[in-house]
Amino acid sequence: MKSRLSSLAPLIAFFIVMGALAFSLTNDPQHMPSTLIDKTTPTFELAGLEDGNGLSSENLRGDIFLLNVFASWCPACRLEHSFFMRIAERRDIKVVGLDWKDDREKASRWLEEHRNPYARVGADESGRVGIDFGVTGVPETFVIDSSGRVRYRHAGPLTEEVWRETFEPLLTHLRGSP
């Protein structure tokens, strides 16, 4: 009996590995909803970068905000940065930044070199606030309504297509909501 079970062990291991692989392939982190959707943002208060205002949960009230989680070491953040510059120049929505697990000096220098689209930036050096938001990596962008509730989470670089298909309809809806 023992030898029969041991001969099936590779087959059982194969099916376990295939099951785990199939599970991981069906869970794209870009399409995983946040557990914070329709909940109030976590309470936090962060210092700013070297020469700027910090960011707190109290700053995310009274208007609609885009909270962009970024880091100077993140290549994908460089891809979306020019897009955030265009959004910030439109001045019809407030964009704030959460500098995640980054060196404050490097992040400050990076924003000086590439220009700063953020009204405020909080330095989350430990990553604690990002964890409270459920951040799985950078970049991620959250839409926060005027009452401070998280309405949407986007993982990955924000593109023109994502903006047009997802963010604009949501922002139009939120602006029309009381």
Side-chain angles (χ1 to χ4, degrees), residues 16-29 32:
I16 290 172
V17 168
M18 293 307 290
L21 181 63
F23 178 76
S24 68
L25 289 175
T26 60
N27 286 305
D28 183 354
M32 292 175 62

mmCIF file of all heavy atoms in Angstrom, residues 16-29 32:
data_model
loop_
_atom_site.group_PDB
_atom_site.id
_atom_site.type_symbol
_atom_site.label_atom_id
_atom_site.label_comp_id
_atom_site.label_asym_id
_atom_site.label_seq_id
_atom_site.Cartn_x
_atom_site.Cartn_y
_atom_site.Cartn_z
ATOM 1 N N ILE A 16 -1.388 19.712 -7.490
ATOM 2 C CA ILE A 16 -1.350 20.805 -6.512
ATOM 3 C C ILE A 16 -0.663 22.038 -7.115
ATOM 4 O O ILE A 16 -1.155 23.156 -7.009
ATOM 5 C CB ILE A 16 -0.648 20.357 -5.210
ATOM 6 C CG1 ILE A 16 -1.536 19.357 -4.467
ATOM 7 C CG2 ILE A 16 -0.313 21.554 -4.314
ATOM 8 C CD1 ILE A 16 -0.871 18.692 -3.274
ATOM 9 N N VAL A 17 0.467 21.817 -7.786
ATOM 10 C CA VAL A 17 1.183 22.933 -8.406
ATOM 11 C C VAL A 17 0.338 23.558 -9.512
ATOM 12 O O VAL A 17 0.244 24.792 -9.626
ATOM 13 C CB VAL A 17 2.557 22.473 -8.948
ATOM 14 C CG1 VAL A 17 3.182 23.530 -9.838
ATOM 15 C CG2 VAL A 17 3.475 22.104 -7.803
ATOM 16 N N MET A 18 -0.315 22.757 -10.337
ATOM 17 C CA MET A 18 -1.165 23.284 -11.419
ATOM 18 C C MET A 18 -2.342 24.077 -10.845
ATOM 19 O O MET A 18 -2.714 25.119 -11.385
ATOM 20 C CB MET A 18 -1.665 22.151 -12.306
ATOM 21 C CG MET A 18 -0.554 21.478 -13.097
ATOM 22 S SD MET A 18 0.454 22.632 -14.066
ATOM 23 C CE MET A 18 -0.684 23.123 -15.300
ATOM 24 N N GLY A 19 -2.921 23.586 -9.764
ATOM 25 C CA GLY A 19 -4.024 24.306 -9.125
ATOM 26 C C GLY A 19 -3.564 25.650 -8.593
ATOM 27 O O GLY A 19 -4.248 26.674 -8.764
ATOM 28 N N ALA A 20 -2.401 25.684 -7.949
ATOM 29 C CA ALA A 20 -1.860 26.947 -7.425
ATOM 30 C C ALA A 20 -1.543 27.911 -8.556
ATOM 31 O O ALA A 20 -1.804 29.116 -8.471
ATOM 32 C CB ALA A 20 -0.617 26.676 -6.586
ATOM 33 N N LEU A 21 -0.993 27.386 -9.642
ATOM 34 C CA LEU A 21 -0.674 28.233 -10.807
ATOM 35 C C LEU A 21 -1.945 28.793 -11.431
ATOM 36 O O LEU A 21 -2.020 29.990 -11.742
ATOM 37 C CB LEU A 21 0.132 27.434 -11.829
ATOM 38 C CG LEU A 21 0.556 28.189 -13.077
ATOM 39 C CD1 LEU A 21 1.478 29.342 -12.717
ATOM 40 C CD2 LEU A 21 1.247 27.244 -14.053
ATOM 41 N N ALA A 22 -2.960 27.960 -11.593
ATOM 42 C CA ALA A 22 -4.231 28.430 -12.165
ATOM 43 C C ALA A 22 -4.858 29.498 -11.278
ATOM 44 O O ALA A 22 -5.377 30.503 -11.756
ATOM 45 C CB ALA A 22 -5.191 27.255 -12.347
ATOM 46 N N PHE A 23 -4.792 29.320 -9.969
ATOM 47 C CA PHE A 23 -5.344 30.313 -9.033
ATOM 48 C C PHE A 23 -4.602 31.637 -9.164
ATOM 49 O O PHE A 23 -5.221 32.700 -9.229
ATOM 50 C CB PHE A 23 -5.253 29.794 -7.602
ATOM 51 C CG PHE A 23 -5.761 30.773 -6.593
ATOM 52 C CD1 PHE A 23 -7.126 30.982 -6.428
ATOM 53 C CD2 PHE A 23 -4.880 31.511 -5.812
ATOM 54 C CE1 PHE A 23 -7.599 31.896 -5.508
ATOM 55 C CE2 PHE A 23 -5.341 32.429 -4.887
ATOM 56 C CZ PHE A 23 -6.702 32.618 -4.741
ATOM 57 N N SER A 24 -3.274 31.570 -9.229
ATOM 58 C CA SER A 24 -2.505 32.819 -9.308
ATOM 59 C C SER A 24 -2.709 33.535 -10.639
ATOM 60 O O SER A 24 -2.687 34.749 -10.707
ATOM 61 C CB SER A 24 -1.020 32.564 -9.049
ATOM 62 O OG SER A 24 -0.468 31.809 -10.103
ATOM 63 N N LEU A 25 -2.924 32.787 -11.715
ATOM 64 C CA LEU A 25 -3.144 33.421 -13.017
ATOM 65 C C LEU A 25 -4.500 34.110 -13.114
ATOM 66 O O LEU A 25 -4.675 35.051 -13.887
ATOM 67 C CB LEU A 25 -3.013 32.387 -14.134
ATOM 68 C CG LEU A 25 -1.597 31.886 -14.394
ATOM 69 C CD1 LEU A 25 -1.617 30.771 -15.445
ATOM 70 C CD2 LEU A 25 -0.681 33.005 -14.823
ATOM 71 N N THR A 26 -5.462 33.679 -12.333
ATOM 72 C CA THR A 26 -6.789 34.299 -12.378
ATOM 73 C C THR A 26 -6.911 35.476 -11.427
ATOM 74 O O THR A 26 -7.936 36.135 -11.397
ATOM 75 C CB THR A 26 -7.887 33.277 -12.042
ATOM 76 O OG1 THR A 26 -7.652 32.765 -10.735
ATOM 77 C CG2 THR A 26 -7.912 32.162 -13.062
ATOM 78 N N ASN A 27 -5.902 35.776 -10.638
ATOM 79 C CA ASN A 27 -5.950 36.881 -9.689
ATOM 80 C C ASN A 27 -4.987 37.985 -10.092
ATOM 81 O O ASN A 27 -3.919 38.124 -9.538
ATOM 82 C CB ASN A 27 -5.615 36.387 -8.270
ATOM 83 C CG ASN A 27 -6.757 35.610 -7.707
ATOM 84 O OD1 ASN A 27 -7.867 36.097 -7.660
ATOM 85 N ND2 ASN A 27 -6.482 34.381 -7.307
ATOM 86 N N ASP A 28 -5.365 38.770 -11.069
ATOM 87 C CA ASP A 28 -4.572 39.913 -11.521
ATOM 88 C C ASP A 28 -4.686 41.030 -10.486
ATOM 89 O O ASP A 28 -5.782 41.532 -10.239
ATOM 90 C CB ASP A 28 -5.100 40.381 -12.870
ATOM 91 C CG ASP A 28 -4.288 41.515 -13.447
ATOM 92 O OD1 ASP A 28 -3.380 42.021 -12.760
ATOM 93 O OD2 ASP A 28 -4.575 41.889 -14.594
ATOM 94 N N PRO A 29 -3.561 41.441 -9.863
ATOM 95 C CA PRO A 29 -3.642 42.467 -8.831
ATOM 96 C C PRO A 29 -4.170 43.798 -9.351
ATOM 97 O O PRO A 29 -4.660 44.603 -8.585
ATOM 98 C CB PRO A 29 -2.206 42.599 -8.321
ATOM 99 C CG PRO A 29 -1.356 41.941 -9.329
ATOM 100 C CD PRO A 29 -2.230 40.967 -10.079
ATOM 101 N N MET A 32 -7.964 43.539 -8.824
ATOM 102 C CA MET A 32 -8.467 43.179 -7.502
ATOM 103 C C MET A 32 -9.024 44.443 -6.842
ATOM 104 O O MET A 32 -8.329 45.443 -6.729
ATOM 105 C CB MET A 32 -7.359 42.570 -6.642
ATOM 106 C CG MET A 32 -6.897 41.221 -7.154
ATOM 107 S SD MET A 32 -5.496 40.572 -6.232
ATOM 108 C CE MET A 32 -6.204 40.406 -4.617
#
